[in-house]
Amino acid sequence: MAERGDSMSIYKRGENWYIDFVFKGQRVRESIGPSRKDAEKVIAKKKTEIVENKYLDIRKEPEPIKFHDFAVEYLQWAKTNKKASTYNRELYIMRLFDKEFEAKTIQEITTWQIDKWKSRRKEGRKPATVNRELCLLKHMFSMAVKWHKLKENPVKDVKRFKGETKRLRFLMPDEFKPFSQIAING
């Protein structure tokens, strides 16, 4: 009573319908219930999940892409989605990254390599400068994950440098007292 199609089958045993197929060398059998139509729907859904690499949440490894090629894609996106001044700054920074990572694919770049770059880059520069550059790299790799070019962002665990966090604070109008109103204790 089994019906075969693409090495997947449905069959009836007793009152229930079952599905039966082999995936990556493992045999899968599931009891569906008394409805043949339900079994047909489930087997069709499983076929679709396997074709789309969603069965058992198994995803294909992304195709290797050179750092330079992905940087070009990212900069095209940045040109349309960011201010012109931001794009120009990122273009300059991206040239620095390209010199560092040009021979690698984005999949080959590791957290350790980025930490090494960060340490070398800090020599003679303010921490804030390196942190801004690091933020760009972090965003670029986040977009690579979002666009399914990369499974995991290697920059996510790279910590920024601690720098001076002093900032100029302006008083609000209700905090301001003219000098003449300040009581002088004598």
Side-chain angles (χ1 to χ4, degrees):
M1 190 144 224
E3 297 178 11
R4 298 216 176 263
D6 296 334
S7 71
M8 293 189 162
S9 64
I10 60 172
Y11 62 92
K12 186 174 184 181
R13 179 175 290 156
E15 297 296 315
N16 289 323
W17 284 89
Y18 294 81
I19 61 170
D20 183 7
F21 62 95
V22 176
F23 180 72
K24 295 208 177 207
Q26 293 244 309
R27 189 169 192 173
V28 178
R29 289 182 180 165
E30 289 181 32
S31 171
I32 304 304
S35 169
R36 177 189 171 113
K37 285 194 180 208
D38 287 347
E40 289 171 349
K41 286 178 187 176
V42 169
I43 201 91
K45 182 179 178 193
K46 300 283 184 198
K47 282 182 186 179
T48 303
E49 288 174 350
I50 289 170
V51 168
E52 294 175 353
N53 289 312
K54 293 180 181 176
Y55 183 69
L56 300 177
D57 199 28
I58 294 174
R59 295 185 177 98
K60 284 184 188 173
E61 285 290 322
E63 289 292 319
I65 181 170
K66 289 283 186 188
F67 180 86
H68 175 81
D69 296 335
F70 185 73
V72 168
E73 281 185 49
Y74 177 83
L75 287 170
Q76 288 172 344
W77 174 85
K79 192 170 191 173
T80 58
N81 290 287
K82 296 184 176 187
K83 292 190 307 186
S85 60
T86 303
Y87 168 77
N88 289 332
R89 184 179 69 243
E90 289 183 355
L91 182 61
Y92 169 76
I93 296 169
M94 203 60 77
R95 288 182 182 135
L96 300 172
F97 289 139
D98 200 36
K99 287 178 187 171
E100 181 73 22
F101 301 118
E102 66 182 336
K104 299 183 181 334
T105 66
I106 59 174
Q107 291 84 356
E108 294 173 329
I109 298 171
T110 65
T111 303
W112 181 73
Q113 291 167 330
I114 295 165
D115 266 328
K116 280 180 28 183
W117 165 84
K118 182 182 84 166
S119 297
R120 284 192 313 271
R121 186 77 180 138
K122 185 181 178 197
E123 294 173 14
R125 289 177 186 80
K126 292 183 178 179
T129 301
V130 180
N131 287 345
R132 267 195 293 300
E133 293 169 354
L134 192 58
C135 283
L136 169 61
L137 192 62
K138 191 174 280 197
H139 185 257
M140 181 182 149
F141 276 91
S142 292
M143 295 306 284
V145 171
K146 183 177 180 181
W147 296 337
H148 304 289
K149 306 271 185 186
L150 195 59
K151 275 189 164 186
E152 188 175 305
N153 183 347
V155 194
K156 74 176 183 202
D157 293 326
V158 177
K159 302 291 184 217
R160 293 186 296 168
F161 286 118
K162 292 184 192 261
E164 289 192 28
T165 55
K166 294 178 186 174
R167 65 179 192 154
L168 182 59
R169 183 176 174 277
F170 294 94
L171 296 176
M172 299 303 290
D174 60 325
E175 296 176 307
F176 178 74
K177 288 184 182 177
F179 189 70
S180 62
Q181 291 181 357
I182 298 174
I184 301 175
N185 294 335

